[in-house]
Amino acid sequence: MPAQTPSPMAINPPSPTPSMFRKKKSSSSLGPMSTAASYLSAVRAADARARARGETPLATPALSLSSSVTASSEDTILDEGEESYSDMLTYPSVPPTSEQVYTTVHSEFGHCSNDEYKYTSQHPPGKPVKPQVEQDPPYYVLFTTYISYIILIVFGHFRDFFRKYFNPGEFKHLVPHDGYAPITSDFDSFYTRRLKTRIDDCFSYPVTGVAGRTIVLLERDSKDYNITFQPTGRKVRALNISSYNYLGFAQARGGCADAVEESIKRYGVSACGTRREGGSLDLHSQAEALVANFVGQEDSLICSMGFATNSTIIPALVSKGCLVISDELNHASIRFGVRLSGANVRMFKHNDMKDLENLLKEVISQGQPKTHRPWKKILLIVEGLFSMEGTMTNLPAIMEFKKKYKFYLFIDEAHSIGALGPHGRGVADYYGVDPRSIDILMGTFTKSFGAAGGYISGSKTVIDRLRVRSHSHAYAEAMTPPVLAQVIASMASIMGVTPALPTSTSAGTITKSRMIEPEVKEAYPGRALASSLPSWMDLPPSVRDGTEGVDRLRRITFNSRYLHRGLEKLGFIVYGHDDSPIVPLLIFHPGKMAPFHRLLRQYSTPIVIVVVAYPATPLITSRVRFCVSAAHTKEDIDTVLEACDYVGEVLDLKHGEGERWPLERITSSAVELVHMERPSRD
């Protein structure tokens, strides 16, 4: 029997570790300091005392959110704008040994100095890629899931029938009136009205502040069954495991934030008034060159919107007479772009390499419909990491097919770039594949880089053509300087920056020192050249030398593997790859989605999650989608596992196969669990 956890409404006893959500009292030995220098001096003094006692904490203290339930509580941190920097910092009675620990706020980025809680994301060289085997739930779960949908649909139509007769005004917008056609049809809006509205409170919670390690919820209540919501005035700080903040760059403080602030001082918040020839800034060309260097391609172009990157680039690549082969679970932006292009499209089963090869043989032998002429172009489009399944594309097998069948390859790395690979360069880096052998690499800056927009990279010939033919490049607005600064700073943090070489030149009796750039560019995956960054961008040493970026990459991999395997050992059915920062936990039953979300939100440590259902997923595979971040600590993942263990028992969600471990064993054996070799399921 798994260990019993406390009720979500229980009040936790005071923790001996100070909570990050409490303001420090004036009597504290490390209270608010008037200057940064005095603050750091106090930190060093406390550190020296800790060393003398031989005590060395390695991580941010565990969260305790039981005090953050009301906005009026004076010991909670809710209005961060009115507090000093030292008030935002909380730490154990014995501070960590590294001064770097205090460069970011705990609520935004949890600190960890324990190297055991880090892992390198990389496919073992020489080992074949094992197919992802999805577990099926017991038949009674599938049966009750279908029955629940039938009941919802029948009772929904029953209510519509009587309400249209007794309260016709409620359906006025669904029928023709006053000479106007209805905006939406009765049939199309049925799912929204009768199914989604029941769980709208799971999607209608406003948040404020930085979506980092924690986030502040603005509570709302509904008195008309989720049709409208009214704010209650309460604010709750919750553990955030729902944002695409993979590397933890969603921070209001730190080297990247300082670079963004400096860009605003120099350029303003928009590009107006500082445009160069062609409507671009120097930042645009620097960002495009840095992106190309980062992903290992010749050239790249950037777009101000991730969705538009796919939907406007694909029509510039293929047209009528071309064929697009698409994975059945590709993103909506890919589907929309293919539809706009006018090209023929064929789909293959998700990540099924045998089905893909059979399809390739068929389309190549048969050619175009009716005429059977050869296709002008065959383009295979897959995602590096699929956002709803957490699965990773089998890139080595696809590369073998590419050599054999001679098609073009387009990889959408919106979720994999920055989050996968020992150097954070995406799925190609993860599998050790040469990126130059991939024709088009697309990605976004909204996930791993904490910015906005997207990019397309490839050969210079292809990118030059896309600059002319792509609607997003010709007609869309350019990315703003603050966003570009965030992209450049965060990408340089992952890569590291090659330092310029000091030289001396003599002119008479005067000796001048200057810095020159190394003539030889580092091979992929290498560091960024100092000249590829703006001259005014002064990044901290830990960012420039790449140590911070490597630390973030290794932390997100550990957190992802730990949560994924921990949930499996608790007995849940979990989809996706072990190294994926997206961890889908299957709920199946639509009636359990809202209770799961609400129970975690009301847990002793409130946790913000994302529940996903039809039409984003198949009808019977409703799920919770955890989004892991490098900002999370091992203790944060422990908290999520503890909450899921309790809620899973209450809602009967533990239908997974295999050996089960009690919660205490999982949390105490986290390192062993992460490094454990997974047995074959073939």
Side-chain angles (χ1 to χ4, degrees):
M1 290 291 293
Q4 296 294 323
T5 56
S7 167
M9 299 305 295
I11 299 177
N12 286 354
S15 171
T17 303
S19 168
M20 58 175 285
F21 300 90
R22 295 182 179 273
K23 291 185 179 180
K24 296 197 66 61
K25 305 300 182 182
S26 58
S27 60
S28 172
S29 60
L30 287 178
M33 303 293 173
S34 58
T35 65
S38 59
Y39 174 73
L40 290 176
S41 298
V43 170
R44 294 191 188 97
D47 181 59
R49 290 193 298 270
R51 289 177 181 272
R53 290 194 297 266
E55 300 173 356
T56 307
L58 297 176
T60 296
L63 300 183
S64 176
L65 310 193
S66 57
S67 65
S68 59
V69 294
T70 62
S72 60
S73 178
E74 62 183 13
D75 64 344
T76 59
I77 293 179
L78 296 175
D79 188 1
E80 298 180 0
E82 296 180 359
E83 298 179 45
S84 67
Y85 176 59
S86 56
D87 279 341
M88 288 294 297
L89 289 171
T90 56
Y91 26 78
S93 56
V94 182
T97 58
S98 172
E99 289 184 6
Q100 182 191 356
V101 168
Y102 296 94
T103 60
T104 52
V105 179
H106 287 175
S107 62
E108 296 177 359
F109 192 93
H111 303 291
C112 175
S113 301
N114 192 341
D115 284 338
E116 289 187 343
Y117 297 153
K118 299 171 187 178
Y119 193 88
T120 300
S121 169
Q122 185 175 19
H123 180 74
K127 287 192 176 183
V129 180
K130 296 179 181 179
Q132 297 289 322
V133 180
E134 297 178 352
Q135 293 188 39
D136 294 324
Y139 284 114
Y140 83 89
V141 173
L142 296 177
F143 178 76
T144 54
T145 300
Y146 280 117
I147 290 296
S148 65
Y149 275 109
I150 292 174
I151 292 174
L152 287 172
I153 292 172
V154 170
F155 274 85
H157 284 295
F158 184 78
R159 289 179 174 181
D160 282 358
F161 177 80
F162 282 96
R163 290 196 176 188
K164 286 178 182 177
Y165 182 79
F166 292 106
N167 189 14
E170 182 180 345
F171 295 86
K172 184 177 180 180
H173 65 290
L174 299 176
V175 295
H177 64 93
D178 301 330
Y180 290 95
I183 296 179
T184 59
S185 69
D186 188 1
F187 178 82
D188 292 340
S189 65
F190 177 81
Y191 180 86
T192 301
R193 289 184 290 108
R194 296 304 178 197
L195 281 82
K196 178 181 176 294
T197 303
R198 292 173 174 270
I199 58 174
D200 255 352
D201 63 303
C202 299
F203 313 111
S204 302
Y205 255 71
V207 297
T208 183
V210 177
R213 177 194 180 207
T214 67
I215 200 167
V216 176
L217 300 178
L218 306 180
E219 280 198 347
R220 300 201 299 178
D221 191 18
S222 177
K223 302 186 183 303
D224 52 8
Y225 305 102
N226 291 346
I227 297 176
T228 60
F229 291 89
Q230 297 80 34
T232 64
R234 295 169 20 129
K235 297 180 181 180
V236 177
R237 181 174 288 280
L239 178 62
N240 178 26
I241 194 162
S242 62
S243 300
Y244 292 142
N245 182 29
Y246 294 148
L247 294 183
F249 282 116
Q251 295 179 232
R253 295 175 175 85
C256 294
D258 292 342
V260 172
E261 183 178 357
E262 181 64 23
S263 72
I264 295 175
K265 294 177 181 177
R266 291 175 175 269
Y267 298 93
V269 295
S270 69
C272 296
T274 55
R275 292 182 181 274
R276 294 190 318 167
E277 248 185 81
S280 334
L281 292 168
D282 53 346
L283 287 178
H284 290 91
S285 57
Q286 288 174 330
E288 289 179 340
L290 188 62
V291 168
N293 187 13
F294 183 81
V295 301
Q297 294 280 17
E298 288 184 5
D299 199 2
S300 72
L301 69 86
I302 57 178
C303 178
S304 57
M305 181 181 177
F307 190 99
T309 306
N310 273 334
S311 58
T312 61
I313 289 294
I314 294 176
L317 292 171
V318 291
S319 58
K320 186 176 180 181
C322 300
L323 174 67
V324 173
I325 299 177
S326 176
D327 190 290
E328 66 177 349
L329 296 185
N330 275 346
H331 192 262
S333 61
I334 296 175
R335 294 169 178 260
F336 187 66
V338 173
R339 191 178 302 120
L340 291 177
S341 71
N344 290 70
V345 59
R346 296 289 299 274
M347 291 192 296
F348 64 96
K349 295 179 182 178
H350 174 56
N351 235 3
D352 190 330
M353 295 299 103
K354 187 174 182 180
D355 187 54
L356 172 59
E357 185 171 21
N358 291 337
L359 179 58
L360 285 167
K361 292 177 180 178
E362 176 190 344
V363 298
I364 292 174
S365 62
Q366 295 298 317
Q368 298 186 38
K370 298 181 181 178
T371 64
H372 297 289
R373 293 176 179 174
W375 298 100
K376 295 180 180 178
K377 194 184 302 179
I378 297 179
L379 179 66
L380 173 63
I381 304 180
V382 295
E383 293 188 43
L385 180 63
F386 290 84
S387 59
M388 288 296 170
E389 307 296 314
T391 51
M392 206 180 301
T393 190
N394 190 343
L395 186 58
I398 290 178
M399 297 309 298
E400 290 297 323
F401 292 159
K402 188 175 186 295
K403 295 176 184 177
K404 184 176 181 180
Y405 297 105
K406 309 299 180 185
F407 54 80
Y408 295 101
L409 178 59
F410 181 114
I411 299 183
D412 180 341
E413 291 210 276
H415 291 268
S416 56
I417 192 67
L420 294 178
H423 307 93
R425 311 299 169 90
V427 68
D429 185 27
Y430 182 84
Y431 286 112
V433 174
D434 182 7
R436 294 290 179 97
S437 61
I438 302 171
D439 301 288
I440 297 290
L441 285 172
M442 174 268 175
T444 61
F445 304 121
T446 56
K447 282 81 175 177
S448 295
F449 305 102
Y455 67 86
I456 287 284
S457 64
S459 67
K460 183 169 178 54
T461 303
V462 172
I463 298 302
D464 285 344
R465 181 172 177 83
L466 291 178
R467 294 185 195 279
V468 179
R469 293 178 58 90
S470 169
H471 289 175
S472 62
H473 192 77
Y475 301 111
E477 293 181 353
M479 292 175 66
T480 60
V483 175
L484 291 168
Q486 173 68 23
V487 170
I488 294 172
S490 58
M491 197 167 284
S493 172
I494 301 172
M495 300 175 70
V497 182
T498 300
L501 302 178
T503 62
S504 298
T505 58
S506 298
T509 59
I510 301 176
T511 301
K512 297 181 179 180
S513 297
R514 61 188 181 92
M515 307 297 284
I516 64 170
E517 197 69 48
E519 296 181 359
V520 180
K521 182 180 178 181
E522 291 191 27
Y524 171 88
R527 293 171 172 257
L529 297 178
S531 60
S532 63
L533 274 64
S535 58
W536 50 263
M537 187 174 287
D538 185 20
L539 298 176
S542 62
V543 174
R544 297 187 72 89
D545 63 17
T547 55
E548 180 179 317
V550 173
D551 184 73
R552 291 174 186 259
L553 292 170
R554 298 187 65 208
R555 284 187 58 178
I556 187 177
T557 307
F558 179 91
N559 291 341
S560 302
R561 292 173 71 91
Y562 177 37
L563 179 59
H564 190 282
R565 295 186 172 189
L567 290 172
E568 284 187 333
K569 290 299 183 183
L570 286 175
F572 294 99
I573 295 180
V574 183
Y575 283 178
H577 196 283
D578 286 358
D579 292 338
S580 166
I582 300 169
V583 184
L585 184 154
L586 274 293
I587 296 180
F588 299 105
H589 202 293
K592 297 179 180 180
M593 292 176 58
F596 194 101
H597 187 279
R598 293 164 186 162
L599 286 173
L600 260 67
R601 198 176 66 214
Q602 298 168 0
Y603 200 69
S604 55
T605 297
I607 301 174
V608 179
I609 61 171
V610 174
V611 290
V612 189
Y614 179 85
T617 66
L619 189 68
I620 63 169
T621 58
S622 301
R623 65 196 66 178
V624 175
R625 195 173 53 150
F626 297 108
C627 299
V628 184
S629 170
H632 295 134
T633 65
K634 189 262 184 185
E635 289 75 16
D636 295 339
I637 306 300
D638 289 344
T639 301
V640 175
L641 291 173
E642 177 186 345
C644 288
D645 184 42
Y646 169 78
V647 177
E649 290 288 346
V650 172
L651 299 180
D652 185 28
L653 297 176
K654 299 182 178 182
H655 308 299
E657 302 173 355
E659 180 187 6
R660 297 191 184 184
W661 290 7
L663 179 64
E664 289 79 4
R665 182 182 176 187
I666 294 173
T667 56
S668 62
S669 307
V671 177
E672 173 193 348
L673 195 61
V674 167
H675 290 266
M676 184 182 297
E677 184 73 20
R678 180 180 290 277
S680 176
R681 295 180 180 176
D682 297 343

